[in-house]
Amino acid sequence: MLRQLRGATRGWVSGVFLFIMAALFVIFLGSGNSTIFDAFLHPAGANNLATVGGVSITPNQLDREIELTLRRMRNNGQDVSRSDAIGQGLHLQLLQNLIERRAVAGYAKRLGIVASDAQVANAIREAHVAENPLTGTFDRGRYLQFLQEIRYSQPEFEQEQRNDIASTMVLDAMTTGTRAPASFGALLLAYESERRTISVAAAPAALVGNVAPPTDAQLQAYYQELAQALRTPEYRTLTLVFARPADFAARVTVPEDRIRQEFESRRASLTTPEKRTFVQISAPDQARAQQAATRLGQGEAPDAVAHALGLQFVRSADVARDAVPDPNVANAVFGMARGAAPAAVRGSLSPWVAVKLEAITPAVEPSYAAQHDAIRDELARSDASDQLNDAMDGFETARSAGTSIADAARANHLTVVNVPAVDQRGMTPEGQPAEALVDQPRLIQTAFQTNEGEVSEFMPLGDNGYALLSVDHIRPPSTRPLAEVRPQLTQAWIARERGRRLDALATQVKEAVAQGQPFAAAARAKGLTMAATSQPVFRQNVQQSPIAFMAAEIFGAHPGEVVSATRPDGAGMLVAIVEDISHVQASQAPQRVEQNRQQIQQSLGESAFEAIASIIVDQAKPKRNEAQIRAFAEQAQGQTPQQPQ
């Protein structure tokens, strides 16, 4: 969570700044054997992954971080399997993130900086994770559902928010005042406004002639070269059983008399109570309360009466009886008839109170017609839930008697879905998502943690009920045989050979220019066609131009240098020469220089934020349990974990 708040940006500018900041903060935070971080030096527990400041980081906590991170990645279109993510070190990055958060939170606590309940509540409200979409107000039910989805208990989540707020306050205070010089803004302006003048020559693929198909020996060598890329992942054949409330809702019929009976039992709770608007003026004694009531009855404004008598008044607008804090005031106000004279009342919260009734909003009886559908649907859901539970019990009974999961499911009206083959990413051999497993990462994870021939337990799917799965068959990873991929490999080999010939042609043009020949003449001599002459291109919009695929080569070259790149569709190659480089001068755009300076200043602040947090972590000397970390990674990848020593 803290890392998401930072979003730090690194570069050579911030690197110089961080070197200075690091030196200062090492002095500030202390060094050697006796520092304010001595309280952090505790050994990691045998089953924990790490310990920082006496706070343990457990495998369950890291597992939760991985699941939430993969969920965000999938929502952003990055389809990464859990096994691949672990293989790429995601678990180590997230563990370091957890260590960092615990260390900085511990440092904030030692400084006595603690976020208030109001700050925590405000942070949760601003995140809109528990907002009712209709009213825009906090919805406790949605809040609890959100916590369940992210696998946090309420105290744990709110403590996490409290720690992050306190940590941010500490680091913000330490980085306040960071300022980038104007010269940095000028440098960024020069970079962003850079314009290059280029000439471009095109070499179509036909220019290098036809490429003969590879011989068997060439194709075999190419096959061996690409063996790893041609390797297919492990696929599993699954049988899924879904126990969904929606499947049973259609089977439920709720009688009309039952709906009417339920409505009557709820009538009192569905009735909108009578509400009243009134004024109350608190007084220390009966005399002044009576005086205030008399003046209110004479038509004086409540605020004027209260001011004249040195008292306080409150207007309560459209409140129900049980919402009035003082029961004596409530009895008096709700006992008054419309237009009744103000009265002095002995209060239970104040000695005396003068009250004046201003308006009455009558109670509203519930309408059977208006409530009918909601009550019917609720009763239907309840009946469907009962039927679902009975069906799951029946399924388990049938399974215990030796019935197959498919037959046991169908006999109890549960939905059966067969998945012929799926990999750890949830993809079929055809490269398409397995429909039954879309947005079901837990099912996929369970499928690849269950042995062949075994059946999982029912797993909750939120509002969509439950599901279990059987792993019917496991097809291990394998390399596709040459005979199966021969046509594709042949085409790929021809394309590679054509690319090599085009590269050789471009190299000849570069050599000719290096020997003093004009670019256009050198290109035409090799059969290339001039596509553009002395054409300006801008760094700002080159990615939207037809030469976007060679932007890196063009903007990485110096004046007079010749560069080349193959077209993305393989239809040929472009060869270009950079003739001139220019940019907007700082004196011509002072406002842009200042905007850029502020942008860099923000990046410097974020980098300082990151550097200080890193120093705090180093001084905290967290203890990592490397054996448990390895075992965690092996288990997460479906391997048999080695016993930690």
Side-chain angles (χ1 to χ4, degrees):
M1 292 183 185
L2 189 58
R3 188 176 299 278
Q4 295 168 353
L5 293 173
R6 285 196 301 269
T9 302
R10 295 187 177 90
W12 71 269
V13 173
S14 58
V16 175
F17 180 79
L18 292 182
F19 178 81
I20 299 171
M21 292 295 292
L24 291 175
F25 281 102
V26 165
I27 295 172
F28 174 73
L29 294 173
S31 60
N33 296 326
S34 179
T35 73
I36 61 176
F37 294 101
D38 288 343
F40 284 16
L41 306 182
H42 295 277
N47 295 321
N48 296 323
L49 301 177
T51 299
V52 187
V55 179
S56 298
I57 298 174
T58 67
N60 284 340
Q61 291 171 339
L62 180 57
D63 182 74
R64 178 176 60 201
E65 290 292 309
I66 293 172
E67 181 178 326
L68 293 176
T69 300
L70 291 177
R71 190 184 304 175
R72 285 193 295 269
M73 293 172 68
R74 293 187 186 102
N75 289 339
N76 292 329
Q78 297 174 265
D79 192 7
V80 180
S81 72
R82 183 184 183 85
S83 178
D84 288 345
I86 297 296
Q88 294 167 14
L90 177 65
H91 65 301
L92 299 177
Q93 298 172 28
L94 294 178
L95 176 59
Q96 182 61 28
N97 186 7
L98 287 170
I99 291 172
E100 191 171 292
R101 284 155 54 183
R102 300 295 183 265
V104 179
Y107 179 57
K109 186 176 181 180
R110 284 189 65 85
L111 293 179
I113 298 175
V114 180
S116 67
D117 290 343
Q119 287 176 298
V120 174
N122 188 55
I124 294 173
R125 281 195 298 269
E126 288 182 351
H128 304 293
V129 297
E131 185 177 271
N132 187 303
L134 298 179
T135 65
T137 58
F138 179 83
D139 186 321
R140 179 168 177 77
R142 292 181 66 88
Y143 181 45
L144 295 177
Q145 181 181 357
F146 164 74
L147 294 178
Q148 183 180 16
E149 290 174 354
I150 64 172
R151 293 170 52 191
Y152 270 88
S153 68
Q154 183 175 345
E156 185 182 14
F157 178 74
E158 292 172 3
Q159 184 60 47
E160 195 80 28
Q161 298 305 304
R162 195 182 306 278
N163 289 345
D164 278 359
I165 293 169
S167 299
T168 302
M169 287 193 290
V170 169
L171 296 177
D172 278 346
M174 289 182 173
T175 57
T176 298
T178 305
R179 179 177 176 82
S183 59
F184 287 7
L187 286 172
L188 184 56
L189 172 66
Y191 176 81
E192 292 178 336
S193 65
E194 184 178 338
R195 180 185 70 181
R196 297 196 168 208
T197 303
I198 62 172
S199 291
V200 182
L207 189 61
V208 296
N210 293 326
V211 178
T215 65
D216 287 345
Q218 290 172 322
L219 194 60
Q220 180 66 39
Y222 192 44
Y223 174 75
Q224 294 296 332
E225 183 181 335
L226 297 181
Q228 189 61 37
L230 295 171
R231 192 168 176 78
T232 61
E234 176 183 304
Y235 285 103
R236 297 197 168 201
T237 301
L238 311 176
T239 299
L240 303 174
V241 175
F242 291 97
R244 297 179 291 211
D247 294 338
F248 289 86
R251 303 165 58 86
V252 173
T253 301
V254 182
E256 194 67 26
D257 59 345
R258 185 179 169 201
I259 300 174
R260 170 65 73 175
Q261 182 180 1
E262 185 66 21
F263 171 77
E264 294 300 333
S265 70
R266 301 185 185 186
R267 179 182 290 275
S269 63
L270 294 173
T271 299
T272 302
E274 177 186 303
K275 297 179 181 179
R276 297 198 170 196
T277 298
F278 61 94
V279 169
Q280 61 184 67
I281 298 178
S282 300
D285 52 58
Q286 183 178 10
R288 272 195 282 184
Q290 187 59 57
Q291 188 178 1
T294 300
R295 296 179 68 165
L296 288 173
Q298 292 172 349
E300 292 188 49
D303 55 344
V305 173
H307 181 73
L309 298 177
L311 305 175
Q312 293 184 335
F313 91 97
V314 175
R315 171 175 278 105
S316 299
D318 210 28
V319 297
R321 185 185 192 116
D322 59 6
V324 180
D326 191 321
N328 292 351
V329 172
N331 291 336
V333 170
F334 281 83
M336 288 180 173
R338 194 185 301 271
V345 179
R346 183 183 293 277
S348 61
L349 301 179
S350 298
W352 284 86
V353 182
V355 295
K356 177 185 178 182
L357 177 64
E358 292 187 339
I360 299 175
T361 302
V364 179
E365 288 291 322
S367 165
Y368 178 69
Q371 297 291 329
H372 177 277
D373 290 351
I375 293 175
R376 180 200 61 204
D377 292 346
E378 183 178 338
L379 293 175
R381 284 194 299 271
S382 177
D383 289 353
S385 179
D386 291 341
Q387 291 187 18
L388 176 62
N389 291 333
D390 291 342
M392 292 173 68
D393 290 343
F395 171 85
E396 296 292 356
T397 300
R399 284 281 297 136
S400 300
T403 307
S404 69
I405 67 167
D407 290 342
R410 295 188 181 98
N412 288 279
H413 308 290
L414 301 179
T415 301
V416 179
V417 177
N418 295 311
V419 179
V422 65
D423 65 15
Q424 272 192 304
R425 301 171 303 154
M427 307 296 285
T428 67
E430 294 72 34
Q432 299 299 317
E435 185 176 351
L437 297 173
V438 172
D439 296 328
Q440 297 293 347
R442 186 176 179 187
L443 286 180
I444 298 173
Q445 178 183 343
T446 301
F448 281 82
Q449 292 177 343
T450 303
N451 295 327
E452 184 173 343
E454 293 184 357
V455 180
S456 73
E457 300 292 333
F458 272 110
M459 294 165 280
L461 300 179
D463 293 338
N464 293 322
Y466 302 85
L468 63 69
L469 58 86
S470 166
V471 178
D472 303 328
H473 176 66
I474 297 177
R475 190 205 311 174
S478 62
T479 301
R480 300 171 67 185
L482 175 58
E484 181 181 321
V485 295
R486 177 179 288 272
Q488 297 93 322
L489 277 184
T490 299
Q491 292 302 315
W493 188 92
I494 291 173
R496 186 181 69 167
E497 184 62 26
R498 184 181 295 115
R500 287 175 173 173
R501 295 183 185 182
L502 288 170
D503 284 337
L505 199 61
T507 299
Q508 293 171 12
V509 173
K510 294 174 187 178
E511 291 172 349
V513 171
Q515 293 170 5
Q517 192 172 357
F519 174 75
R524 290 191 180 102
K526 298 300 178 182
L528 280 70
T529 303
M530 292 301 297
T533 301
S534 299
Q535 179 74 36
V537 292
F538 297 86
R539 185 183 292 276
Q540 287 180 321
N541 57 15
V542 68
Q543 294 299 334
Q544 287 74 48
S545 72
I547 61 169
F549 65 92
M550 65 182 311
E553 288 80 4
I554 290 173
F555 282 87
H558 54 73
E561 185 176 353
V562 178
V563 295
S564 61
T566 303
R567 291 183 180 275
D569 59 4
M573 173 177 285
L574 292 185
V575 183
I577 184 171
V578 177
E579 299 171 352
D580 181 58
I581 303 174
S582 62
H583 57 80
V584 175
Q585 298 298 316
S587 60
Q588 298 174 325
Q591 290 183 337
R592 288 182 61 185
V593 170
E594 175 59 19
Q595 290 172 354
N596 290 342
R597 187 198 66 77
Q598 292 178 6
Q599 178 183 340
I600 295 174
Q601 179 173 314
Q602 181 179 357
S603 296
L604 288 175
E606 291 171 345
S607 296
F609 202 98
E610 179 91 4
I612 296 167
S614 178
I615 295 170
I616 290 174
V617 172
D618 290 342
Q619 292 288 347
K621 295 182 173 62
K623 301 298 183 182
R624 296 163 60 101
N625 191 330
E626 298 296 343
Q628 283 296 332
I629 294 171
R630 286 194 300 272
F632 176 91
E634 291 168 357
Q635 185 173 14
Q637 290 184 293
Q639 304 173 20
T640 301
Q642 299 178 1
Q643 189 68 26
Q645 301 298 318

